[in-house]
Amino acid sequence: MRRLLAPRIFAFVILTLTLFVELVSSLYANQAGVIDWHHQYIGTPKVSFFHKFVSRGAYVLIASDRNVLASINVRSGNIDWRQVFDENENILAFKGYENTAISVSQRDNDYIVRSWESHSGFMLWENRIKNVRIDKNSNPIIENDAPGVDVIFAANNLGILILLEGSTVINLNVTDGSQMWRSDLTDSSTIFYKLVEFKEKAYGVGLKKSFSSYTIEVITYDITNGISKLQSLNSKVGNIKDMIVLGGSIQDGFIIWNEGGFIRVNRLGTLVIEQSSLEELYENVIPSFANANGKLALLDLNLGSRTEFLVEVPTKEGNTAAVFKVDSESGRLVALYDLEEKSENSLYSATFDKNSRLIISRSRVVAEDVAKVDIIAPGTGLVLGNYEIPYSLNSYGDLKKTVLDVDSKATGYRMLVTSADGSIHFWKDHDMVWKSEESLAHTIEAEFLDLPERKLWTQEVDELAEQPEESETISPLARYIRRVKTHIEQLKDFPAYLTAYVQRFIIGDHEAELRFTDKSKFSLHRDTFGFRKLLIFVTRTKLVALDTINKGQIIWSRYFGNDVFEFNKIFIVRSSTVKYPPLVVAIGIQRDSKGKIVTRLFRLNALTGENFIPTENEKYFPSELSLPIITKRILKLPVEEPDERTHIIALIDEELKFHIYPNHENAVKAFIQFAPSFYFTLSDDIGEKSLKGYKVVKNNVQPFDITEVWILNFPEGESIAAIGRRPQNEKIASLGRVLGDRSVLYKYLNPHLVAIATLSTSKTPATLNIYLIDIVKGSILHHATHENVGYLHPIRIAQIENSIVYHFWSENYNEKGYVAVVYELYESEIKDQRFESPVFSSFAHERPYVSAQAYMFPYGINAIGVTITKHGIATREFLFALDTDQVFGVSKRFLDPRRPQRVLTNEDKEEMLIPYDPAIPDNKKWVLSYHLPVAGIRQIITSPALLESTTLVLAYGLDLWFTREAPSKTFDVLSEDFSKGTLLATIFGLILGILITKPMVRRKKVNARWY
Amino acid sequence: MRRSMILCLVLFFLGLFAIPSFCIKTYKIEGRLVTLKDLPQLEPTTKIILDGGKYSALIRKNGKFVIDDVPQGSYLLEISSKKFIYPKIRVDVDSEGIKPFVTITGSEWSNTGPSLQYPLELPARSTSEYFMVRDGFSITSLFANPYIIMMGFSVLLLFIMPKMMANMDPNALKELQENQAQNPLPEMPDISTTLANYLSGGNNNANVERRRN
């Protein structure tokens, strides 16, 4: 009786402990920003300008190609405010005016004009403009750099004039955005692209298509009432780039165009045309133009009402340029300054200082790692600055755009520079003040890379690297001495290690240890808990590697813009193993010299970003490769070639040929061995109407042929909306689920199972179909239908182990809102029953038992991720990227189809089930990203740490956000709030107590003997 | 009005029975967000979403919002804010006007909550609390701990009991002692002994015997 009690007490202790463990971990306020980091991005600027308004200082306003409006602090590079538009709402124009900024964007067929408070980012008003004639086909001159959209501010607050689609002009009230007048042009052969306003009249300048060229047309508006008058100029313009429009507001406006051998100038509002001969220009006026070797280009410097502009001429070795001005009195051209010939491609930008002096910058990259900026005042010919700025051509590519500004105290020249990879740099005089890796806003894919162990690195230099023959020649004594030397070498790091250890002990900061090791020789290595990994990103034309610790610091980046038009895949083909560096392969497309599309492959050392060239097998393993194919699908095969131990990559081209990389003899052998059990699908992209299963034909000739094994046509009107595959790095701890009565439901774990969601939009609301398909034989294992589903809303599906979660918008008669459905697949509905065959085969006729449950979800989502831990023991957590720009973690225990819809029985309690509730609670404590605005997330990926409790989470899209998540709390490390001080104090207290009481007790005992 | 109807009909027939978009009567949903104290606390990115993003609007500086071009129907209106928690609203738009109600996720759609006034005046329910509150060390929490209370109580008894016994009537004391001798308490297993035995794996009887001595 008494003996039985002991285990019961233990059970009680454990029970009370588990009661204290919360269902889902959440953060304390002081943990925010310690383990997680967040990089905010805006994308590559389309429009950027310095905006100054009274005392608030200067900031840069940017409209980007990711449809983001942002204000950036010039001193720190921090984002002051940011507005992220929907993906389908393109920003066409952005312009600042006093303390507001006006944006024009297009969504479907509507134009939206919004006014923003420039320092806070609050919207002041918006106006939707409808029924604008949109006829892209007949508008050949509407291009990205001249979209037929222009915004100007009329003097005396007479309104904001906006030109849309080259055909409609509206005048909006400055204060509330209400429309004052609107004028639609009916003649579709004329496209207007620029507005100028002066003397209470507005002018629209456009081009009218005539026989082989264009004629300039000018429309004049009365600003107050919009009454217009159309005029044609006697002119011939070959291209929109041959014409610029300058001036306006406080002075007259001018049209300048290049026609025949002349540069012609027209003062707006008149029909007078002044002209200057190019011949004269080339021979006498601008000396450097004598070497001209091509057509001149007119460059608008965007100087507002100023009439200076630039003429750029290519020369044999580079290019040259000169500054011109239209004299507002005479309306003639005046040459101001010859910028002279330079052999590198230069970028120009201009501004004027507080004395209205024009200042021009000329920037160019002069060497691999140096950019040069000349600051010139063309009026006086003074060179104000001549700066060399560190700039890595290898990381960022060439310069693409510069915007110059003069400090309000006129002490420095600062410049916002956009580079070819899409990044933003901010230069001030000699210095790079800040930069932002905006290429990451265009991330295509990202991967976690495990770092090699530190021990292996030291052993590599020590003994492991040596060959057996070599070892024989070394005497034991020499080896002993070498070993001792190594240890002494390591001893040097000991003081630093000790301080880091004490620091870690006191403040409980795990990263202190990592910071210490950063200084050591081999800085890229794994930490004790496996929290440190590399994140390898592939963007449009760039590879970037970030550290998961140190706030996501960039380890290396490499620009491929000269070799690759666009990347589409990245694979880690070899993870960190003893003495071999980890390898990645990036695959992209490029046009060759004949304009044909080729596929490019690059194999890099993942720790440095350099091309990896193996010492021995060089000829088999080209690190850069060009294949004359257009790939349809690229796959990483779960098979390694024997020489370098890299995974084989399969490329399937348009003609359904199957190429492998690397393709040397041994790799082919390894692949042929593997091929019979290899099945894959094609046409499994979003929007496809059928799914096809393939298999490689065994013909031993490269490229291999593939054959269609099965085809699955979805019913009429259905197309694929989302696909859920099991993650390759998932770990499964147990084959079954133990129920309350100690019986087991065996999990259905089919590695070939793909979950596909299709939408049928033939009627609205749409119908959602879910298919679970075995891709080996193309059989549908389960099918479910949801009626009345929103087709505009994203549908997302995730699969892990034996569970599948999907999310959609439902508008049934009796429910309206977001729905999350969870499936769990078991081998049988009956407890303890398994499939008969001990080996799982897709060719068997067994179907899983699907148990499902649906919940109302509190938010709309953009992506689903699942936590993956080292052994898969910790409770899984589904991570949802919410449309409120947050990441929300829901424990598997809440998304569990076994949640009982009754009062909990003892067995349910034993299984630790939570009673069913139709809604997933909107618990703000489950928001892992707390109040951070993690915008534009498209994907959430996870990777296990060495601790079973912890998983590393990365969300990417526009922003990057990284954290370590412990779905069932950090049960394997001491909690951060564990007070080590108290523990030490208690121990010392007890020791002290013993020391004091020991003599006392002894004396008492002795006394007791006496009396 | 009449003329536009005729125009619509004409276009309807001309356009081979496709309804021109401007003939569908649309409505404007307006409202204002009220925060707990004052407006500048609102984030400029606060969005008002109708039916999960079918229609949406950004908040304006004065806290007002307008959702344009909403056709007739019954909609779920959500406010997407990181700082504040707002109730979810059901908005019914029909020819009679716009009627908002409070709704709760997970309840049936036909089950409308209390109706609200229109234009909407939405006060935040509370601020979003993302962090757990750390219960720091404090003397009061220490004294609220049951173990500490138990300890304090036994220490107290240690002092009071001898005094109580001393103050007791000698007869009553004698009686008590006799009672105790007559009915010894049934042997209660005490946790510490059991645990000790369990851990040492030793013979508990021997232990008990030794204790008796």
Side-chain angles (χ1 to χ4, degrees), chain A residues 859-874:
Chain A
Y859 298 101
I861 63 156
N862 293 315
I864 310 182
V866 198
T867 60
I868 295 170
T869 51
K870 188 155 189 254
H871 302 289
I873 299 165

PDB file of all heavy atoms in Angstrom, chain A residues 859-874:
ATOM      1  N   TYR A 859      -8.616  35.877 -38.821  1.00  0.00           N
ATOM      2  CA  TYR A 859      -7.918  36.780 -39.743  1.00  0.00           C
ATOM      3  C   TYR A 859      -7.839  36.192 -41.149  1.00  0.00           C
ATOM      4  O   TYR A 859      -7.880  34.974 -41.318  1.00  0.00           O
ATOM      5  CB  TYR A 859      -6.474  37.013 -39.282  1.00  0.00           C
ATOM      6  CG  TYR A 859      -6.327  37.670 -37.953  1.00  0.00           C
ATOM      7  CD1 TYR A 859      -6.032  36.928 -36.823  1.00  0.00           C
ATOM      8  CD2 TYR A 859      -6.468  39.051 -37.828  1.00  0.00           C
ATOM      9  CE1 TYR A 859      -5.882  37.539 -35.588  1.00  0.00           C
ATOM     10  CE2 TYR A 859      -6.319  39.663 -36.600  1.00  0.00           C
ATOM     11  CZ  TYR A 859      -6.029  38.904 -35.490  1.00  0.00           C
ATOM     12  OH  TYR A 859      -5.872  39.501 -34.276  1.00  0.00           O
ATOM     13  N   GLY A 860      -7.635  37.061 -42.096  1.00  0.00           N
ATOM     14  CA  GLY A 860      -7.265  36.656 -43.442  1.00  0.00           C
ATOM     15  C   GLY A 860      -5.771  36.410 -43.453  1.00  0.00           C
ATOM     16  O   GLY A 860      -5.037  36.998 -42.670  1.00  0.00           O
ATOM     17  N   ILE A 861      -5.307  35.536 -44.330  1.00  0.00           N
ATOM     18  CA  ILE A 861      -3.886  35.177 -44.303  1.00  0.00           C
ATOM     19  C   ILE A 861      -3.261  35.243 -45.693  1.00  0.00           C
ATOM     20  O   ILE A 861      -3.962  35.252 -46.701  1.00  0.00           O
ATOM     21  CB  ILE A 861      -3.656  33.762 -43.727  1.00  0.00           C
ATOM     22  CG1 ILE A 861      -4.311  32.694 -44.616  1.00  0.00           C
ATOM     23  CG2 ILE A 861      -4.155  33.658 -42.320  1.00  0.00           C
ATOM     24  CD1 ILE A 861      -3.670  31.353 -44.471  1.00  0.00           C
ATOM     25  N   ASN A 862      -1.947  35.268 -45.711  1.00  0.00           N
ATOM     26  CA  ASN A 862      -1.209  35.260 -46.975  1.00  0.00           C
ATOM     27  C   ASN A 862      -0.272  34.072 -47.112  1.00  0.00           C
ATOM     28  O   ASN A 862       0.225  33.811 -48.195  1.00  0.00           O
ATOM     29  CB  ASN A 862      -0.396  36.542 -47.114  1.00  0.00           C
ATOM     30  CG  ASN A 862      -1.287  37.741 -47.274  1.00  0.00           C
ATOM     31  OD1 ASN A 862      -2.236  37.709 -48.042  1.00  0.00           O
ATOM     32  ND2 ASN A 862      -1.026  38.789 -46.523  1.00  0.00           N
ATOM     33  N   ALA A 863       0.025  33.405 -46.029  1.00  0.00           N
ATOM     34  CA  ALA A 863       0.935  32.254 -46.102  1.00  0.00           C
ATOM     35  C   ALA A 863       0.738  31.394 -44.863  1.00  0.00           C
ATOM     36  O   ALA A 863       0.311  31.897 -43.818  1.00  0.00           O
ATOM     37  CB  ALA A 863       2.386  32.723 -46.178  1.00  0.00           C
ATOM     38  N   ILE A 864       1.028  30.108 -45.001  1.00  0.00           N
ATOM     39  CA  ILE A 864       1.011  29.209 -43.837  1.00  0.00           C
ATOM     40  C   ILE A 864       2.375  28.535 -43.747  1.00  0.00           C
ATOM     41  O   ILE A 864       2.920  28.084 -44.760  1.00  0.00           O
ATOM     42  CB  ILE A 864      -0.054  28.090 -43.952  1.00  0.00           C
ATOM     43  CG1 ILE A 864      -1.420  28.641 -44.328  1.00  0.00           C
ATOM     44  CG2 ILE A 864      -0.156  27.300 -42.652  1.00  0.00           C
ATOM     45  CD1 ILE A 864      -2.501  27.575 -44.409  1.00  0.00           C
ATOM     46  N   GLY A 865       2.910  28.478 -42.553  1.00  0.00           N
ATOM     47  CA  GLY A 865       4.139  27.726 -42.311  1.00  0.00           C
ATOM     48  C   GLY A 865       3.898  26.791 -41.142  1.00  0.00           C
ATOM     49  O   GLY A 865       2.916  26.936 -40.418  1.00  0.00           O
ATOM     50  N   VAL A 866       4.784  25.813 -40.967  1.00  0.00           N
ATOM     51  CA  VAL A 866       4.652  24.887 -39.843  1.00  0.00           C
ATOM     52  C   VAL A 866       6.001  24.782 -39.163  1.00  0.00           C
ATOM     53  O   VAL A 866       7.036  24.753 -39.838  1.00  0.00           O
ATOM     54  CB  VAL A 866       4.263  23.469 -40.320  1.00  0.00           C
ATOM     55  CG1 VAL A 866       3.706  22.665 -39.171  1.00  0.00           C
ATOM     56  CG2 VAL A 866       3.293  23.508 -41.456  1.00  0.00           C
ATOM     57  N   THR A 867       5.990  24.729 -37.839  1.00  0.00           N
ATOM     58  CA  THR A 867       7.267  24.590 -37.130  1.00  0.00           C
ATOM     59  C   THR A 867       7.794  23.175 -37.329  1.00  0.00           C
ATOM     60  O   THR A 867       7.041  22.209 -37.323  1.00  0.00           O
ATOM     61  CB  THR A 867       7.109  24.843 -35.631  1.00  0.00           C
ATOM     62  OG1 THR A 867       6.177  23.898 -35.118  1.00  0.00           O
ATOM     63  CG2 THR A 867       6.629  26.244 -35.355  1.00  0.00           C
ATOM     64  N   ILE A 868       9.095  23.082 -37.506  1.00  0.00           N
ATOM     65  CA  ILE A 868       9.751  21.779 -37.638  1.00  0.00           C
ATOM     66  C   ILE A 868      10.839  21.731 -36.577  1.00  0.00           C
ATOM     67  O   ILE A 868      11.694  22.618 -36.522  1.00  0.00           O
ATOM     68  CB  ILE A 868      10.363  21.616 -39.038  1.00  0.00           C
ATOM     69  CG1 ILE A 868       9.253  21.588 -40.088  1.00  0.00           C
ATOM     70  CG2 ILE A 868      11.187  20.344 -39.113  1.00  0.00           C
ATOM     71  CD1 ILE A 868       9.752  21.679 -41.489  1.00  0.00           C
ATOM     72  N   THR A 869      10.777  20.724 -35.727  1.00  0.00           N
ATOM     73  CA  THR A 869      11.803  20.606 -34.696  1.00  0.00           C
ATOM     74  C   THR A 869      12.690  19.406 -35.014  1.00  0.00           C
ATOM     75  O   THR A 869      12.391  18.611 -35.895  1.00  0.00           O
ATOM     76  CB  THR A 869      11.177  20.454 -33.302  1.00  0.00           C
ATOM     77  OG1 THR A 869      10.219  19.408 -33.365  1.00  0.00           O
ATOM     78  CG2 THR A 869      10.508  21.726 -32.866  1.00  0.00           C
ATOM     79  N   LYS A 870      13.757  19.282 -34.250  1.00  0.00           N
ATOM     80  CA  LYS A 870      14.800  18.309 -34.589  1.00  0.00           C
ATOM     81  C   LYS A 870      14.259  16.892 -34.699  1.00  0.00           C
ATOM     82  O   LYS A 870      14.577  16.169 -35.636  1.00  0.00           O
ATOM     83  CB  LYS A 870      15.899  18.358 -33.526  1.00  0.00           C
ATOM     84  CG  LYS A 870      17.083  17.514 -33.917  1.00  0.00           C
ATOM     85  CD  LYS A 870      18.337  18.004 -33.255  1.00  0.00           C
ATOM     86  CE  LYS A 870      19.538  17.294 -33.832  1.00  0.00           C
ATOM     87  NZ  LYS A 870      20.111  16.301 -32.933  1.00  0.00           N
ATOM     88  N   HIS A 871      13.452  16.471 -33.740  1.00  0.00           N
ATOM     89  CA  HIS A 871      12.933  15.116 -33.792  1.00  0.00           C
ATOM     90  C   HIS A 871      11.429  15.083 -33.996  1.00  0.00           C
ATOM     91  O   HIS A 871      10.848  14.005 -34.063  1.00  0.00           O
ATOM     92  CB  HIS A 871      13.279  14.369 -32.503  1.00  0.00           C
ATOM     93  CG  HIS A 871      14.748  14.314 -32.243  1.00  0.00           C
ATOM     94  ND1 HIS A 871      15.585  13.538 -33.008  1.00  0.00           N
ATOM     95  CD2 HIS A 871      15.525  14.957 -31.350  1.00  0.00           C
ATOM     96  CE1 HIS A 871      16.828  13.694 -32.572  1.00  0.00           C
ATOM     97  NE2 HIS A 871      16.820  14.562 -31.574  1.00  0.00           N
ATOM     98  N   GLY A 872      10.812  16.231 -34.018  1.00  0.00           N
ATOM     99  CA  GLY A 872       9.362  16.275 -34.214  1.00  0.00           C
ATOM    100  C   GLY A 872       8.566  15.895 -32.984  1.00  0.00           C
ATOM    101  O   GLY A 872       7.411  15.495 -33.087  1.00  0.00           O
ATOM    102  N   ILE A 873       9.169  16.020 -31.810  1.00  0.00           N
ATOM    103  CA  ILE A 873       8.455  15.651 -30.580  1.00  0.00           C
ATOM    104  C   ILE A 873       7.621  16.824 -30.068  1.00  0.00           C
ATOM    105  O   ILE A 873       6.481  16.659 -29.675  1.00  0.00           O
ATOM    106  CB  ILE A 873       9.450  15.191 -29.488  1.00  0.00           C
ATOM    107  CG1 ILE A 873      10.220  13.967 -29.982  1.00  0.00           C
ATOM    108  CG2 ILE A 873       8.716  14.876 -28.199  1.00  0.00           C
ATOM    109  CD1 ILE A 873      11.445  13.650 -29.189  1.00  0.00           C
ATOM    110  N   ALA A 874       8.201  18.010 -30.098  1.00  0.00           N
ATOM    111  CA  ALA A 874       7.478  19.194 -29.604  1.00  0.00           C
ATOM    112  C   ALA A 874       6.189  19.374 -30.414  1.00  0.00           C
ATOM    113  O   ALA A 874       6.142  19.048 -31.596  1.00  0.00           O
ATOM    114  CB  ALA A 874       8.352  20.430 -29.753  1.00  0.00           C
TER     115      ALA A 874
END
